[in-house]
């Protein structure tokens, strides 16, 4: 009791000086087989993240085989020349590792996470999957069946159905971007092990691949590990592959995907715009965040807080394909859902927000909050090795310099209110937006037509 009585309970710890933070800078190198390597030492990150990017984009899929890249990506973890599918999964589990893969417009990406103490073993498994995947008939057939089972569920999901329709509306029918990333029932059903292997042999090789390694590499001879594992992967060099430019038709119009009896309407309003190589990107990011990036944004303040139409509406920019020659593009979109009877009023208020933004501009307070939310929380966003590796891989995939993310945060902080206003107004012009509504056409068609935001077409939900 005497000690407690003499303790000073009023003394408080003093805050120290804030430490400057910048997005981590990687070291760049290559292996003898041509594989590009980016490494980033992150002290304390005992779970290492590895991202491998393959130059196997969706627009390289053969005609009639949309989805073969997705099946190939999933098949990488279904056995090698050394292990069956079951054995490969068991070996990963013994390492405490996870291995995921997916295909998107820029290419195929494999993501490995593993404790640093098991890194050597896990890299060996990853290298085997890339070097000599089994692509067994039975495993590919199972993956195809699984994918076919997924498609009806995706079509039943209003947000996924809206995204499918928006891509179909925006892009030319002969463009891969107009069709579902993971294929349709018809094209996926045509995929077999021979098609997967042919796609692999044509597009997967170390000379056109990049590996990103992030984590605490203290005491790790990464050069030796990579040389013994991914360095043993061989393949021929590849000729430069022509990349078609992104073209889109953003004439203002409305498409209603009819869901009779739906109690809610899913909204997806979009067009294509500048990608990350454009000088306007930082201002576009900032302005779009002010419009619909958080609960305090303009769209939420009106549609959620004032009118109670929705639980939330978001505005965002998502890179589709990025290229320094100007052939890339980003999807600029507004997404949310509203109750069916208020579909017309909600759209009217949404267009009013956009018109008011163009007439009056953003406020300095909105800009300041956006900068704080985007820049101020960045150190928390990148606490894990996986988050850093994912962003570095995005930069490689989008042909950006290694210091892009660090530079972007400085640019966001330096962007003024006027610049952010101009960028978001240009991103979302009221007369150049394609609106997709998934809902009950019998109830929403007439009030939407009355708004005059574009010709209204109704299509079946499938």
């Amino acid at each position: 009791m005497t000690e407690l009585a003499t303790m000073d309970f009023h003394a408080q710890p003093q805050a120290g000086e804030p430490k400057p933070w910048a997005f981590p800078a990687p070291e760049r190198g290559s292996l003898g087989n041509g594989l590009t390597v980016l490494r980033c030492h992150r002290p304390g990150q005992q779970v290492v993240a590895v991202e491998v990017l393959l130059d196997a984009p969706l627009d390289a899929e053969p005609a009639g085989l949309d989805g073969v890249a997705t099946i190939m990506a999933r098949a990488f973890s279904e056995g090698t020349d050394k292990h069956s599918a079951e054995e490969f999964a068991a070996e990963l589990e013994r390492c405490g590792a996870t291995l995921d893969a997916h295909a998107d417009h820029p290419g195929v990406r494999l993501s490995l996470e593993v404790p640093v103490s098991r890194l050597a073993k896990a890299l060996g498994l990853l290298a085997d999957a890339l070097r000599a995947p089994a692509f067994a008939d039975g495993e590919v057939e199972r993956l195809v069946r699984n994918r076919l089972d997924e498609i009806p569920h995706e079509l039943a999901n209003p947000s996924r159905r809206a995204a499918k329709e928006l891509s179909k509306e925006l892009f030319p029918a002969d463009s891969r971007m107009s069709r579902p990333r993971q294929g349709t029932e018809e094209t996926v059903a045509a995929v077999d092990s021979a098609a997967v292997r042919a796609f692999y042999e044509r597009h997967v090789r170390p000379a056109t691949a990049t590996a990103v390694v992030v984590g605490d590499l203290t005491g790790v001879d990464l050069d030796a590990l990579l040389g013994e594992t991914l360095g043993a992967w061989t393949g021929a060099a590849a000729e430069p592959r022509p990349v078609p430019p992104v073209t889109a038709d953003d004439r203002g119009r409305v498409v209603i995907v009819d869901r009779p009896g739906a109690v809610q309407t899913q909204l997806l309003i979009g067009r294509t715009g500048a990608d990350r190589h454009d000088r306007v990107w930082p201002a576009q990011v900032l302005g779009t965040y002010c419009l619909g990036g958080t609960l305090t944004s303009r769209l939420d303040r009106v549609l959620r807080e004032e009118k109670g139409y929705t639980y939330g509406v978001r505005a965002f920019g998502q890179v589709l394909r990025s290229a320094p020659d100007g052939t890339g593009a980003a999807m600029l979109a507004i997404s949310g859902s509203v109750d069916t009877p208020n579909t017309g009023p909600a759209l009217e208020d949404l267009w009013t927000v956009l018109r008011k933004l163009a007439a009056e501009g953003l406020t300095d307070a909105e800009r300041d909050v956006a900068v704080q939310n985007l820049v101020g929380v960045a150190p928390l966003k990148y606490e894990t090795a996986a988050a850093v590796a994912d962003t570095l891989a995005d930069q490689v995939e989008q042909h950006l310099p290694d210091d892009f993310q660090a530079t972007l945060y400085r640019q966001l902080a330096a962007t003024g209110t006027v610049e952010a206003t101009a960028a978001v107004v240009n991103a979302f012009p009221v007369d150049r937006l394609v609106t997709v509504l998934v809902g009950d056409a019998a109830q929403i068609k007439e009030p939407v037509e009355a708004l005059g935001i574009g010709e209204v077409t109704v299509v079946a939900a499938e």
Side-chain angles (χ1 to χ4, degrees):
M1 293 295 293
T2 304
E3 286 187 15
L4 289 174
T6 58
M7 290 179 66
D8 183 2
F9 288 97
H10 299 287
Q12 297 182 0
Q14 298 299 309
E17 288 294 321
K19 297 180 180 179
W21 180 89
F23 183 79
E27 297 179 23
R28 180 177 283 264
S30 62
L31 302 183
N33 58 3
L35 179 73
T36 300
V37 177
L38 274 68
R39 71 187 75 196
C40 189
H41 174 53
R42 302 290 289 160
Q45 297 292 343
Q46 295 298 311
V47 176
V48 176
V50 181
E51 297 275 332
V52 177
L53 295 86
L54 306 176
D55 185 24
L58 297 188
D59 60 33
E61 292 178 317
L65 288 177
D66 290 358
V68 67
T70 292
I71 299 300
M72 182 190 72
R74 295 181 179 185
F76 277 125
S77 58
E78 301 297 334
T80 68
D81 61 343
K82 297 179 181 178
H83 300 291
S84 68
E86 293 79 8
E87 291 168 346
F88 189 84
E91 290 297 316
L92 280 174
E93 188 173 351
R94 289 190 187 97
C95 294
T98 60
L99 178 63
D100 297 306
H102 73 276
D104 208 335
H105 290 295
V108 172
R109 189 184 295 190
L110 287 79
S111 303
L112 173 74
E113 288 189 79
V114 62
V116 66
S117 59
R118 312 283 177 82
L119 179 60
K121 177 66 174 177
L123 280 177
L125 292 170
L126 174 62
D128 288 343
L130 289 165
R131 177 188 57 79
F135 296 147
D137 292 349
E139 298 300 338
V140 171
E141 290 169 3
R142 179 179 59 81
L143 292 173
V144 167
R145 289 195 302 270
N146 290 348
R147 177 66 199 130
L148 290 173
D149 288 341
E150 293 170 356
I151 293 174
H153 295 284
E154 293 170 358
L155 293 176
N157 181 297
S159 61
R160 299 288 292 271
R161 184 63 183 84
K164 177 178 181 286
E165 196 65 32
L166 182 59
S167 294
K168 181 181 177 182
E169 280 292 320
L170 274 176
F171 304 110
D174 61 352
S175 166
R176 183 62 181 87
M177 287 188 179
S178 71
R179 305 189 298 275
R181 285 175 169 83
Q182 299 181 73
T184 64
E185 289 182 331
E186 180 182 5
T187 62
V188 172
V191 175
D192 58 17
S193 59
V196 170
R197 181 160 293 283
F199 189 74
Y200 165 85
E201 291 176 349
R202 185 172 180 83
H203 299 289
V204 179
R205 52 182 55 83
T208 57
T210 298
V212 179
V213 184
V214 180
D216 191 332
L217 303 176
T218 303
V220 175
D221 188 346
L222 189 61
D223 289 327
L225 282 184
L226 292 174
E228 295 165 359
T229 54
L230 292 174
W233 175 24
T234 60
E239 293 295 323
R241 184 180 47 80
V243 178
V246 179
T247 59
D249 176 7
D250 63 357
R251 289 173 296 112
R253 58 197 186 278
V254 181
V255 177
I256 299 175
V257 180
D258 190 18
R259 287 277 173 86
V263 297
Q264 287 189 326
T265 301
Q266 182 70 37
L267 317 176
L268 184 58
I269 303 162
R271 62 191 298 267
T272 60
D275 74 348
R276 293 183 178 183
H277 287 275
D278 197 298
R279 291 176 58 187
V280 79
W281 180 260
Q284 184 173 277
V285 169
L286 196 59
T288 300
Y289 191 90
C290 292
L291 174 63
T294 183
L295 290 174
T296 60
S297 68
R298 288 204 175 192
L299 289 174
D300 256 20
R301 285 206 308 268
V302 175
L303 301 180
R304 181 176 184 269
E305 299 298 328
E306 296 178 14
K307 301 298 180 72
Y309 294 146
T310 178
Y311 290 114
V313 177
R314 290 291 172 268
F316 59 92
Q318 178 183 355
V319 175
L320 296 169
R321 191 177 65 226
S322 195
D325 62 359
T327 59
M331 176 74 77
L332 306 173
I334 297 170
S335 176
S337 60
V338 300
D339 59 320
T340 297
N342 284 311
T343 301
L347 281 174
E348 182 177 19
D349 286 336
L350 193 156
W351 253 254
T352 298
V353 169
L354 294 177
R355 291 187 179 105
K356 186 175 181 180
L357 180 61
E360 301 178 3
L362 297 167
T363 67
D364 290 340
E366 287 176 309
R367 176 264 174 202
D368 293 346
V369 168
V371 169
Q372 179 57 38
N373 288 348
L374 290 169
V375 180
V377 303
L380 297 177
K381 181 179 178 181
Y382 293 108
E383 282 190 322
T384 66
V388 174
D390 185 61
T391 295
L392 289 173
D394 284 345
Q395 292 181 172
V396 172
E397 203 169 60
Q398 296 168 22
H399 308 284
L400 297 165
D402 293 341
D403 64 349
F404 175 82
Q405 196 67 28
T407 301
L408 176 62
Y409 285 123
R410 293 194 296 270
Q411 292 172 328
L412 288 171
T415 299
T417 306
V418 173
E419 293 82 2
T421 297
V424 70
V425 169
N426 288 333
F428 295 96
V430 294
D431 59 342
R432 304 293 297 184
L433 294 171
V434 178
T435 301
V436 174
L437 307 174
V438 181
D440 189 339
Q443 296 190 58
I444 66 178
K445 182 174 184 287
E446 186 175 340
V448 170
E449 285 179 327
L451 299 176
I453 59 176
E455 180 183 357
V456 179
T457 303
V458 178
V459 300
E462 298 178 3

